[in-house]
Amino acid sequence: EVFSARMKILEKQENKFIRVRCNNCKNEQILFEKATTDVKCTSCNAEIAKPKGGKIEIKAKIIEILK
């Protein structure tokens, strides 16, 4: 029963990936919503997200939320 309860909790946790567009160069890339390090654009090296209290603070334009 304990294992079953833990599996239900894990199934409810939905970590998402987010497709964003850099404000500087318009490059698109996919981020994990719970990244633990600063995320920089792979093209121009601008900061597009940084960790903030368990999730990320996104500084780029969100294009799509992926599951």
Side-chain angles (χ1 to χ4, degrees):
E1 286 184 29
V2 173
F3 179 75
S4 178
R6 286 183 182 168
M7 287 304 294
K8 287 180 183 177
I9 291 170
L10 289 174
E11 288 173 0
K12 288 182 182 178
Q13 294 177 346
E14 292 186 25
N15 296 324
K16 297 177 184 115
F17 290 89
I18 303 166
R19 183 185 309 272
V20 298
R21 180 178 293 138
C22 177
N23 294 329
N24 292 338
C25 70
K26 310 302 182 210
N27 180 51
E28 290 186 11
Q29 63 191 70
I30 298 173
L31 312 176
F32 184 58
E33 75 170 342
K34 294 186 179 181
T36 58
T37 60
D38 290 349
V39 180
K40 297 192 179 217
C41 176
T42 56
S43 182
C44 72
N45 210 34
E47 183 179 62
I48 57 175
K50 66 181 191 176
K52 193 96 168 183
K55 291 197 176 185
I56 56 173
E57 176 184 346
I58 300 173
K59 298 180 177 184
K61 181 178 180 181
I62 297 175
I63 303 298
E64 179 181 12
I65 307 237
L66 309 167
K67 289 190 176 188

